[in-house]
Amino acid sequence: AYNGESNARARYLAFAERADQEQFGEVASLFRAAAKAEETHANNHAAVIKKMGATPQAKIETPVLKSTKENLEAAIKGESYERDKMYPEFLKKARADGNRDAIETFNYAKNAESEHAKLYSAALNDLPSLKGSKAKTYYVCTVCGYTTPTLDFSKCPSCFSHKDKYEKIS
């Protein structure tokens, strides 16, 4: 999980640069916000790994860059895999081990990945109209990584932290 989130962060930052180059400012902002969320997940996973007495290690791979459309498709595929397969398997193991800290961080990440898949799908569906768009503001919970375009709530829908824990990303 730590390695995957660390690589997702690097990939999304590269995808944001490509989106900026192709004049999809709003999509670039979304990729930057998701990268911040992935960083939060990696940090949360690292804390659990350290608490278990190990050292978190990631092998950062060079991101494969394609068009913004193809990058969105790849992002949707990755987020859906994490939401539907990877995190459910990790949660099953963490529950069997009785590791409450791992359960919490895996649930936080799974919830955020689900939201990322929705945001990426919406961006892909609207991509033609987003050409020439300017940066858009997104908000990322620094506790759990939940990502949203609006702060129309007082507590995070995922971890229930106060909305002042959200960081503004554009």
Side-chain angles (χ1 to χ4, degrees), residues 142-155:
T142 59
V143 174
C144 72
Y146 190 84
T147 307
T148 181
T150 58
L151 279 180
D152 56 355
F153 48 80
S154 61
K155 291 185 178 182

Side-chain angles (χ1 to χ4, degrees), residues 72-143:
L72 279 168
E73 291 167 345
I76 293 165
K77 184 177 178 183
E79 299 293 318
S80 298
Y81 167 77
E82 289 179 346
R83 175 196 66 207
D84 299 337
K85 184 145 180 67
M86 186 181 91
Y87 279 115
E89 288 177 9
F90 289 171
L91 280 160
K92 183 178 178 183
K93 175 76 169 115
R95 286 185 187 110
D97 292 348
N99 189 329
R100 292 181 190 267
D101 294 325
I103 292 168
E104 180 180 69
T105 189
F106 292 159
N107 270 319
Y108 286 168
K110 183 175 177 268
N111 289 343
E113 307 310 12
S114 180
E115 194 61 24
H116 293 163
K118 289 177 194 172
L119 292 167
Y120 286 145
S121 293
L124 182 60
N125 289 338
D126 294 341
L127 195 59
S129 69
L130 297 176
K131 182 74 172 180
S133 63
K134 298 199 183 305
K136 178 179 178 170
T137 297
Y138 287 90
Y139 301 90
V140 179
C141 180
T142 59
V143 174

